[in-house]
Each structure stands twice: as structure tokens, then as C-alpha cells.
Amino acid sequence: MSRVFNRFGISGAQFVRAGRCIVGGVNSPVRAFGSVDCGPVFIGRGKGSKIYDIDGNEYIDYVCSWGALILGHSYGPVIKAVQDSADRGTSFGAPTVAETELAEIICDAFASIDKVRLVSSGTEAVMTAIRLARGFTGRDYIVKMAGCYHGHSDSMLVRAGSGSAEFSKPLSPGVVKSLASRTLVVDYNDIDGLVRVFNKHGKKIAGCIIEPVAANMGVVLPKAGYLRKIRSLCSQNKSLLIFDEVITGFRLCYGGAQKIFKIRPDLTCLGKIIGGGLPCAALGGRGDIMDMLSPMGAVYQAGTLSGNPLATAAAVATLRVLKSKNFYDKLEAKSKLLADGLTDAARRNSIPLKINRIGSLLSCFFTKKTVKNFSDAKSADMKIFKAFFAQMLKQGIYIAPSPFEAMFISAAHTKNDVEKTIAKADNSLKALKD
Ligand SMILES: *Cc1c(COP(=O)(O)O)cnc(C)c1O
């Protein structure tokens, strides 16, 4: 390996150049590697489970474009579908058959989805779901869980009020206080807290949005009965249940977390995997609710590049593969191997490590504590994470530069990749001890 990770080298120079004309040198903040005290590597290309930086280093990639690339990088049939589609024109802003094909695939995969609206990002899908829930119910309040990420629309950029303050505060300047106060924040996995909020505000709550498996505070699984309780609270109060399955959608199985946990949400947000690496996302759900969207209904929503041909081509080509026999079983086997190997490596090196995993979605918390919510996740040791991240990167293993992001295993990761990763993790953890 030619270059040790740092602010120097070709990537370092390009980061300086980018910083002169792009805010912070990046177009999405986590890419700046801000929480790991170093500059990012610039990626030149990717193939299968590997990415290659512009300094000539190869990495086994566990970010996979933040989970979008479940088939790995530059997957032949997806690339071919995009190329063929591009040959016929890149965007028309008019209906195409591929949009219907994609919509049919989604409706077929999710029992709760009668109809969809395609959009270009998860943020848009969520923003539309929130507006639709408010429009459909004629109510203002939305419940969200602390540590769940739903993109960056104003209603979702809030944090719980401090101390006894019941109403949320903007998480970012520019979010209007009165809007933030219409989002009620409850701890993930906290049934009592949720019951209290519904008892107090139930008749004003338009909807409750949740990542059925949280994957943006690290991976946190719902405790037994939690999702069912949310479903019944929403039904009792005539509030809509919105599952944000932007990550879990086609990640956990063909049909998402809702199929695994047997819960039928009213609305579902999809993104990441459904674009096959291109900008595509979707909002789907009950027909009577979805029909309130324009042009059928009065709730406005639109998008110039929504359902554009390149994205729908990539999406259809990707989802076709996911439907093949044993696709998720194979992912599960590799993911289990990785999680077990990392757990053993930590034990061998006497470093406290808790791994939360479901299918090919996992995360490493350097803590002795069981991680059930955002506070638990935040209590993990950041210093160990930073050092571990640096060691792994140096040894050619690319994990997310934040302890609050998941590791994603793709179909392109081989058993050999996983074994190599475990060996490098063992070295990395050993180095932390010295
Ligand atoms: C990534 C993500 C979003 C936002 O999607 P973008 O395409 O980045 O706008 C929303 N919800 C969840 C659960 C996500 O992981």
C-alpha cells in the first residue's frame, strides 16, 4: 500500500482544491471525514466489493454508497441497463414505461404499498410523506424517534427539547422554531414515552415516522413488540404510521423490515437500494392516502427528474437480481461470518465491542453496554472508534467515517473479502492496545 491515510497525497491536494469551490470540499457533510480527524480519500473507481482511491490504494468497501449498492460497484447488468437507456435519451419529463415497471415491482414487493410516487432522494420521499400525512389527517404533529435520520427536510431536522421542555427544537439554524415544535421526539424503543406522547397529543398527531430498524445511530434493532405497539397506537389515534425504509427497504429482505416484523405501515419511504446507485427514491402506501397527492388530490408534490430513465433503468435491473433465489440467504451467511469474526477479534484483544446486526446491516459499538437507543450509541468510545477507523483505512478496509453509520455487505463481497477484513480488524485492534 503506497500511502498512509492523511491529509497529504493526491487525495489531500484534491481536497484542498475542492475546498476552494465546494463548501467544505464535499457535497454531503459526512464525506469530509470530520468526525475521524483526517481528510477524505478521493475515489477514482469501484468494481465489485472494492473501491480505488486516486492515490492508487485499493479498499474493501463497507460503505457501498451508504447502502445503495447491494450488488457492489459497477455491476454489469445495471451498468448495461443504464448505458442502453442513456442511448435512448436521458430525461423527457414525460411518462415512460420503465417508471410503471419499477412501480409494479415495488407494489409487488411490499404488501402495504398499493401505489407509489417516484422521487429522486430519500429526503424528498420523507418530506412528501410528512406533507401527505398532514394533508390526509388535517393534523400538524409528527412523532419521530431520537437518533433516527429521515433526510434533511425541516420537520425532520429537530432534536428533543432539553430537560422538561416537551417541544422539540431546531437541529439546524434556518429551521423555523414553530415548525420544529410540531415534531415530537421520543427515544427509540421507549414504549412508555410513546404512550405518554399519544395520550397527551394523540388527536393532533398526523403521523409517526420511524426507521423500523434504526441504521443512522449505528444499527439498533426494535425490541420485541415495539413496532406492533406503535402500529396500534397509530391506529387507535387515527394517525398514520410511516416506515422510513430508505435503508432497510430491499436490504433486509425482498419486502423490507415490514415483512420481517409483520407490520403494515400506512406509508413507506424507499431510497438508496431502489436507485441501484442512481438518484431514485419512492413514497408508497395505501391507495386512499396516496390518491391525495397531486394530480389526483390536493396535496402538492412534483419533480423535474422524478422517475428519470437512467434511474429507473438502474432500479429495475437491480431489483430483478434481488428477487433471485437465496439472494438474501447468501448475504446473511457472509454478514454473520463478518460479525462473528469481528466479535472474536475484539475478544482476543480485550477491547469491548458490541455488534448490532440484522442481515447485511451491522455496526460496531465500542462499549460494554447493550445498545438500544441513541443515548446508548453515543456512550460508545469515540477515541477507540477513531483509532480503529484509521487503522482499518490504512490496511485497505473502508468503513464509514462515523460510529453512527452502518456497515453494509454487498452481494459482491466474497468470503475471502470477509476473512481478510477480520484479519485486518484483528491487526487494527492489536495496534490499539499497544
Ligand atoms: C439516507 C436516508 C434518508 C435520506 O435519503 P437521501 O437520499 O440521502 O436524501 C432518509 N432516511 C433514511 C433512513 C436514510 O438512511
Side-chain angles (χ1 to χ4, degrees), residues 105-116 188 208-214 222 227-228 231 241-271 274 282-286 358 361:
I105 290 172
I106 295 171
C107 292
D108 169 60
F110 288 79
S112 71
I113 299 184
D114 301 324
K115 281 188 183 175
V116 303
Y188 194 85
C208 177
I209 184 165
I210 184 167
E211 293 180 76
V213 172
L227 297 175
R228 189 153 300 285
R231 175 66 274 181
L241 175 58
I242 306 166
F243 268 11
D244 182 348
E245 296 225 41
V246 167
I247 283 187
T248 53
F250 283 94
R251 168 66 52 185
L252 304 187
C253 74
Y254 198 84
Q258 54 194 263
K259 186 168 179 185
I260 290 176
F261 294 99
K262 301 189 175 63
I263 304 289
R264 185 185 270 262
D266 301 298
L267 295 173
T268 299
C269 302
L270 298 168
I274 73 156
L283 168 65
R286 249 169 59 191
I358 177 166
L361 189 57

Side-chain angles (χ1 to χ4, degrees), residues 183-217:
T183 305
L184 304 164
V185 180
V186 182
D187 278 335
Y188 194 85
N189 274 327
D190 176 8
I191 292 180
D192 294 344
L194 198 65
V195 168
R196 271 197 303 277
V197 161
F198 268 98
N199 280 344
K200 187 137 189 222
H201 302 286
K203 297 294 172 264
K204 289 190 239 160
I205 295 173
C208 177
I209 184 165
I210 184 167
E211 293 180 76
V213 172
N216 285 287
M217 51 177 124

Side-chain angles (χ1 to χ4, degrees), residues 11-91:
S11 284
Q14 286 296 341
F15 191 43
V16 170
R17 177 184 169 201
R20 289 194 203 106
C21 51
I22 299 174
V23 182
V26 292
N27 288 307
S28 196
V30 70
R31 297 179 198 169
F33 279 32
S35 29
V36 288
D37 300 335
C38 66
V41 291
F42 274 53
I43 307 304
R45 67 194 170 89
K47 186 72 197 169
S49 61
K50 312 278 183 8
I51 51 175
Y52 302 85
D53 72 17
I54 58 174
D55 296 80
N57 300 299
E58 175 184 289
Y59 305 91
I60 301 174
D61 181 19
Y62 289 98
V63 177
C64 294
S65 193
W66 305 99
L69 298 175
I70 196 167
L71 300 176
H73 295 272
S74 200
Y75 184 77
V78 173
I79 301 305
K80 174 85 170 47
V82 173
Q83 285 169 341
D84 289 352
S85 179
D87 281 342
R88 295 189 296 269
T90 54
S91 181

Side-chain angles (χ1 to χ4, degrees), residues 121-123 126 149-151 211 216 244 246-247 272:
S121 71
T123 294
V126 169
Y149 178 69
H150 302 291
E211 293 180 76
N216 285 287
D244 182 348
V246 167
I247 283 187
K272 296 194 168 105

Side-chain angles (χ1 to χ4, degrees), residues 155-433:
S155 287
M156 294 292 101
L157 279 191
V158 306
R159 62 182 160 79
S162 50
S164 60
E166 174 183 0
F167 293 105
S168 315
K169 303 232 169 5
L171 191 66
S172 156
V175 173
V176 175
K177 275 199 205 98
S178 56
L179 183 61
S181 72
R182 299 297 192 280
T183 305
L184 304 164
V185 180
V186 182
D187 278 335
Y188 194 85
N189 274 327
D190 176 8
I191 292 180
D192 294 344
L194 198 65
V195 168
R196 271 197 303 277
V197 161
F198 268 98
N199 280 344
K200 187 137 189 222
H201 302 286
K203 297 294 172 264
K204 289 190 239 160
I205 295 173
C208 177
I209 184 165
I210 184 167
E211 293 180 76
V213 172
N216 285 287
M217 51 177 124
V219 175
V220 177
L221 276 69
K223 65 180 186 191
Y226 177 56
L227 297 175
R228 189 153 300 285
K229 183 69 189 176
I230 301 181
R231 175 66 274 181
S232 68
L233 283 169
C234 285
S235 300
Q236 282 158 22
N237 290 278
K238 297 195 166 35
S239 310
L240 301 188
L241 175 58
I242 306 166
F243 268 11
D244 182 348
E245 296 225 41
V246 167
I247 283 187
T248 53
F250 283 94
R251 168 66 52 185
L252 304 187
C253 74
Y254 198 84
Q258 54 194 263
K259 186 168 179 185
I260 290 176
F261 294 99
K262 301 189 175 63
I263 304 289
R264 185 185 270 262
D266 301 298
L267 295 173
T268 299
C269 302
L270 298 168
K272 296 194 168 105
I273 287 176
I274 73 156
L278 272 86
C280 184
L283 168 65
R286 249 169 59 191
D288 59 326
I289 304 172
M290 291 301 294
D291 281 346
M292 276 206 71
L293 276 181
S294 51
M296 288 285 284
V299 176
Y300 192 71
Q301 189 279 336
T304 301
L305 291 176
S306 291
N308 77 85
L310 300 192
T312 49
V316 169
T318 297
L319 298 182
R320 209 167 267 156
V321 181
L322 306 192
K323 208 174 177 183
S324 62
K325 203 161 161 272
N326 296 335
F327 180 84
Y328 290 95
D329 295 338
K330 282 184 248 166
L331 268 184
E332 164 67 24
K334 282 183 285 196
S335 307
K336 180 171 191 313
L337 187 67
L338 179 62
D340 291 350
L342 293 175
T343 303
D344 289 346
R347 198 172 299 134
R348 266 197 302 281
N349 293 288
S350 315
I351 291 188
L353 173 67
K354 280 273 157 48
I355 293 189
N356 283 357
R357 179 181 78 85
I358 177 166
S360 57
L361 189 57
L362 67 91
S363 66
C364 298
F365 296 102
F366 290 103
T367 177
K368 292 196 175 92
K369 212 169 161 173
T370 307
V371 179
K372 314 177 293 309
N373 59 33
F374 194 30
S375 329
D376 297 338
K378 282 191 290 192
S379 74
D381 193 317
M382 187 63 199
K383 248 175 53 199
I384 298 184
F385 176 83
K386 278 186 199 180
F388 179 69
F389 171 83
Q391 286 291 335
M392 291 294 268
L393 191 66
K394 205 189 289 187
Q395 295 183 69
I397 311 293
Y398 190 88
I399 61 174
S402 156
F404 303 116
E405 305 286 353
M407 280 175 88
F408 298 97
I409 293 101
S410 78
H413 286 80
T414 61
K415 191 159 172 252
N416 187 42
D417 287 333
V418 170
E419 282 163 356
K420 195 167 155 191
T421 304
I422 295 166
K424 302 291 184 191
D426 199 18
N427 293 341
S428 299
L429 294 167
K430 208 169 285 152
L432 298 196
K433 267 195 323 192

